[in-house]
């Protein structure tokens, strides 16, 4: 134990002082000695008093009892009757507390020790329940603990009508005191000190037998014991390990004064030495059992008692473990929790359905902005905090403040979740609406066939979207809630809108590209078709060549095709660039778009060429070319064959001339270099910012896409050798047919 056990007699009262001051001191100690005063000071004169009372030399032959109980329950009165002490009692008229702190007095009755034990020291403890000392429940807790820790017998004074009432019977205080007693004085002691809890039931009417009251109290006590927190190792201890119990009921002192005195008289006889021998004890009627059993004695020699008591008090006063919540705080905690639960009912009523709605929406995957959410949240929050304040603020300030903060954070956690889900719904639907609105406006523009201003559409829709979000967010701001702000979310929203704008712009770029490609296709369809038609004319086209231009011949077909192609694409590129810049496409995006345009245009040209050289088409053109040369003279006049004409010679010449076209048509070559056009250089390297998606729909081009395993030469092969040979054969057959026909007509003309 940490309790000081003074053994040195040097601390004993100076006997000289005692004898000199004896008479004066007897008077000074008429009411006993105030062991502990209101300021929680331990009285240094305890030794003096005990010396005066001749207890100091008694060794173990003394006893200490205390009284515990509510204010003005006649504790001091009882002690005075029982022990002839002069503790202050409340005058019958003024209901005012008299006992302050802890008083001690020696038993004045039966000092000879005939019916009572010798040297009984009685401590009168300031009443509990703190009513008259205002908020100072700290003192009642500490004084009660002091009484419990030092006394052999603790008289628990209680009105009959308090039995069974938790607060009334001071059960809360007892609980605290038991708990700290275990912690502070019992936990480390080798032997378990036992005390007697002696319940004195006052104003017993007699209708309820003592036995019943006793059972109620015992049941309450064991419940109380079960609920206290016990130090490690003592978890399974029972209250009976530390306490014996005795019960007595006293009649009403005012209404039945004689009976009261009689009962007190009888009670007094129990304050005698008991026997440790249970056999002897067993013979005694329970109502007459002596209270001082040897095992209750703390075994502190009387001369060491003052120092021991001081040590106990010191430990109680200074031990931080004792800084338990006061009864007021406990009450405040209890009530504040209760009030919290009460005020949460209304809050739940308005907020839970909204939470459920959001949860349901989330489950269905359609987060929606809940109308009226902001107002509901504001009203619910204001109401709950107000209701709590109204009901709880009159309780202990500190506890109230803490509980208010707890409630606030509980409420705010839920409101914040609602708030954020609402913002996220506003975000999602805002971006969606924005995107749909832009697409709709574009579609509308397309339908009208006007050149709509994409950048303008995006800008105005974005402004609307931002405004919508702000107003949705404003609507759910919660007054006074520290978390109620949406700046961060707004920033994210703006960022998302920008991202969505970028992807919409990309789509718009694609649409633009598609339009431009279509334009390229129709231009090439027409102009390249014309070029190929010129083959049919056999003389490189009809009509005079335009000024400055090289006269069109079969030989420079590919020069012209290439020139038309590059000029057309160049014009397309310019259109693309102009449009793309109008809606703020980045230079990188434009660059990629142009690169794609060139590649795709080449594909268009290549397809057009393939169409032109399709078997039937080209054969027809060769035949026309041949016939032009064979059937018309240099002036373009149709020949009328006569037998004298050199039909074979003309035929051979024309046929050879047309035949030469086949290898020419077979390869796309420029006449200057007699090499394929520089398609790879013209298309250029893929821009750095090109993405996989940009390349996804692009057909590979030989000589441009290296890993295609196809050379530029191959890309430029219009007719394979086999195809060319086949074409030649078919052409010759066709030419032969024309020749035979000419021959026939020559002969026919003669015979006619
Ligand atoms: P304490 O504060 O518990 O010490 O109470 P007191 O001994 O000072 O008594 C308070 C008041 O109760 C006084 O007016 C007493 O006369 C009165 N009183 C004392 N004993 C009894 C009792 O047994 N029954 C009733 N009804 N009143 C009592
Ligand atoms: Mg009193």
């Amino acid at each position: 134990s940490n309790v000081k056990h003074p053994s040195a007699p040097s601390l004993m009262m100076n006997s000289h002082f005692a004898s000199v001051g004896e008479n004066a001191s007897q008077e000074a100690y008429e009411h006993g000695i105030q062991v502990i005063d209101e300021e929680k000071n331990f009285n240094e004169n305890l030794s003096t008093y005990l010396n005066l009372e001749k207890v100091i030399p008694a060794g173990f032959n003394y006893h200490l009892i205390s009284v515990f109980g509510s204010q003005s329950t006649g504790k001091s009165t009882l002690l005075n009757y029982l022990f002839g002490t002069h503790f202050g009692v409340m005058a019958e008229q003024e209901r005012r507390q008299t006992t302050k702190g802890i008083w001690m007095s020696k038993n004045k009755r039966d000092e000879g020790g005939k019916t009572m034990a010798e040297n009984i020291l009685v401590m009168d403890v300031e009443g509990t329940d703190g009513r008259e000392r205002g908020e100072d429940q700290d003192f009642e807790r500490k004084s009660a603990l002091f009484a419990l820790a030092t006394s052999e017998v603790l008289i628990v004074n209680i009105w009959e009508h308090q039995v069974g009432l938790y607060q009334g019977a001071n059960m809360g205080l007892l609980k605290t005191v038991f708990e700290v007693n275990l912690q502070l004085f019992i936990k480390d002691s080798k032997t378990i000190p036992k005390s007697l809890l002696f319940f004195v039931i006052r104003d017993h009417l007699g209708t309820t037998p003592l036995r019943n009251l006793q059972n109620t109290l015992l049941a309450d006590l064991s419940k109380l014991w079960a609920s206290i927190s016990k130090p490690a190792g003592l978890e399974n201890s029972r209250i009976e390990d530390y306490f014996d119990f005795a019960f007595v009921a006293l009649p009403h002192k005012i209404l039945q004064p004689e009976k009261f005195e009689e009962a007190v008289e009888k009670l007094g006889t129990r304050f005698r030495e008991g026997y440790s021998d249970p056999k002897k004890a067993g013979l005694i009627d329970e109502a007459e059992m002596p209270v001082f059993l040897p095992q209750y004695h703390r075994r502190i020699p009387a001369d060491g008692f003052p120092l021991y008591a001081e040590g106990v008090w010191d430990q109680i006063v200074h031990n931080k473990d004792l800084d338990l919540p006061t009864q007021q705080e406990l009450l405040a905690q209890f009530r504040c929790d209760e009030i919290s639960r009460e005020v949460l009912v209304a809050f739940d009523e308005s907020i839970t359905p909204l939470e459920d709605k959001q949860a349901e929406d989330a489950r269905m995957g359609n987060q929606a902005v809940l109308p009226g959410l902001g107002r509901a949240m504001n009203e619910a929050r204001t109401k709950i905090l107000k209701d709590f304040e109204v009901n709880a603020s009159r309780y202990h300030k500190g506890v109230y403040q803490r509980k208010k903060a707890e409630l606030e954070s509980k409420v705010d956690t839920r409101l914040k979740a609602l708030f954020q889900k609402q913002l996220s719904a506003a975000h999602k639907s805002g971006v969606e609406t924005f995107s749909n609105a832009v697409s709709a406006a574009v579609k509308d523009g397309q339908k009208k066939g006007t050149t709509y201003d994409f950048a303008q559409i995006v800008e105005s829709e974005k402004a609307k979207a931002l405004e919508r979000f702000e107003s949705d967010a404003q609507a759910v701001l919660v007054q006074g809630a520290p978390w109620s702000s949406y700046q961060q979310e707004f920033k994210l929203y703006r960022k998302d809108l920008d991202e969505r704008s970028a992807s919409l712009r990309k789509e718009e770029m694609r649409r633009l590209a598609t339009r431009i490609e279509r334009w390229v296709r129709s231009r090439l369809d027409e102009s390249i078709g014309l070029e190929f038609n010129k083959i049919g004319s056999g003389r490189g086209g009809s009509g005079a060549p335009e000024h400055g231009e090289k006269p069109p011949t079969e030989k420079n077909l590919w020069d012209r095709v290439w020139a038309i192609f590059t000029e057309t694409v160049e014009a397309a590129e310019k259109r693309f660039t102009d449009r793309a810049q109008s809606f703020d496409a980045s230079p990188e995006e434009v660059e990629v778009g142009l690169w794609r345009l060139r590649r795709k245009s080449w594909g268009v040209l290549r397809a057009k060429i393939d169409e032109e050289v399709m078997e039937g088409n080209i054969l027809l053109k060769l035949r026309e070319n041949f016939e032009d040369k064979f059937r018309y003279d240099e002036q373009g006049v149709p020949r009328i064959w006569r037998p004298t004409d050199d039909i074979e010679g003309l035929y051979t010449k024309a046929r050879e001339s047309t035949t030469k076209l086949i290898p020419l048509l077979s390869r796309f070559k420029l006449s200057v270099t007699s090499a394929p056009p520089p398609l790879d250089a013209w298309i250029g390297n893929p821009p750095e910012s090109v993405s996989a998606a940009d390349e996804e729909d692009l057909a590979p081009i030989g000589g441009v896409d290296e890993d295609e395993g196809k050379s530029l030469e191959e890309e430029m092969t219009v007719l394979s050798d086999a195809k060319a040979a086949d074409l030649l054969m078919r052409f010759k057959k066709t030419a032969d047919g024309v020749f035979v026909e000419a021959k026939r007509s020559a002969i026919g003309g003669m015979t006619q």
Side-chain angles (χ1 to χ4, degrees), residues 420-482:
Q420 266 169 347
K421 282 185 191 142
Q422 178 91 332
L423 288 190
S424 116
H427 180 124
K428 228 178 123 198
S429 77
V431 173
E432 220 50 59
T433 309
F434 163 74
S435 171
N436 291 341
V438 170
S439 301
V442 165
K443 211 169 258 166
D444 201 43
Q446 283 173 332
K447 221 186 315 176
K448 284 182 190 144
T450 49
T451 43
Y452 54 88
D453 188 338
F454 181 78
Q456 170 62 39
I457 291 170
V458 168
E459 198 170 312
S460 88
E461 289 305 331
K462 196 189 280 180
K464 280 189 226 163
L466 289 172
E467 210 173 284
R468 233 180 359 253
F469 184 90
E470 276 229 85
S471 88
D472 281 345
Q474 287 278 355
V476 282
L477 282 183
V478 176
Q479 202 97 42

Side-chain angles (χ1 to χ4, degrees), residues 520-521 524 528 532 558 561-562 564-566 569 599-611 668 679:
V520 167
R521 179 169 292 120
L524 291 182
I528 300 299
F532 273 88
W558 295 119
V561 166
W562 180 249
I564 289 166
F565 171 68
T566 51
V569 175
R599 293 190 56 123
K600 289 218 155 186
S601 299
W602 170 253
V604 169
L605 176 65
R606 198 63 187 72
K608 179 63 188 166
I609 292 171
D610 282 341
E611 186 194 317
F668 195 149
L679 181 65

Side-chain angles (χ1 to χ4, degrees), residues 305-356:
F305 178 77
L307 203 58
Y308 161 76
E310 191 175 359
V312 169
W313 181 249
D314 199 59
Q315 236 182 319
I316 289 173
V317 166
H318 294 114
N319 196 288
K320 287 285 171 255
D321 291 350
L322 264 178
D323 291 344
L324 295 171
T326 63
Q327 285 303 305
Q328 279 214 337
E329 285 172 293
L330 288 173
L331 174 67
Q333 278 172 18
F334 181 77
R335 278 298 291 143
C336 287
D337 285 343
E338 217 169 41
I339 293 164
S340 285
R341 279 194 296 275
E342 282 162 17
V343 296
L344 266 168
V345 171
F347 182 83
D348 282 341
E349 241 162 57
S350 60
I351 294 303
T352 310
L354 296 165
E355 290 169 330
D356 290 348

Side-chain angles (χ1 to χ4, degrees), residues 126 164 216 315 545 575:
E126 176 181 334
T216 305
Q315 236 182 319
R575 283 166 160 249

Side-chain angles (χ1 to χ4, degrees), residues 50 61 73 102 126 130 169 179 184 315 330-331 344 404 434 467 472 488 680 711 746-747:
L50 293 183
N61 187 24
T73 47
I102 302 177
E126 176 181 334
E179 223 164 49
L184 214 51
Q315 236 182 319
L330 288 173
L331 174 67
L344 266 168
K404 187 180 168 201
F434 163 74
E467 210 173 284
D472 281 345
Q488 209 54 35
D680 43 354
S711 65
I747 297 163

Side-chain angles (χ1 to χ4, degrees), residues 72 74-77 87-90 97-99 124-127:
S72 307
K75 295 186 298 295
S76 302
T77 305
F87 292 125
V89 297
M90 182 188 279
Q97 184 193 357
T98 40
T99 309
D124 189 11
V125 181
E126 176 181 334

Side-chain angles (χ1 to χ4, degrees), residues 5 59 69 124 179 188 257 264 324 336 391 410 467 564 567 705:
H5 287 279
D124 189 11
E179 223 164 49
D188 305 316
V264 171
L324 295 171
C336 287
N391 293 296
K410 196 187 235 170
E467 210 173 284
I564 289 166
E567 277 160 28
D705 302 314

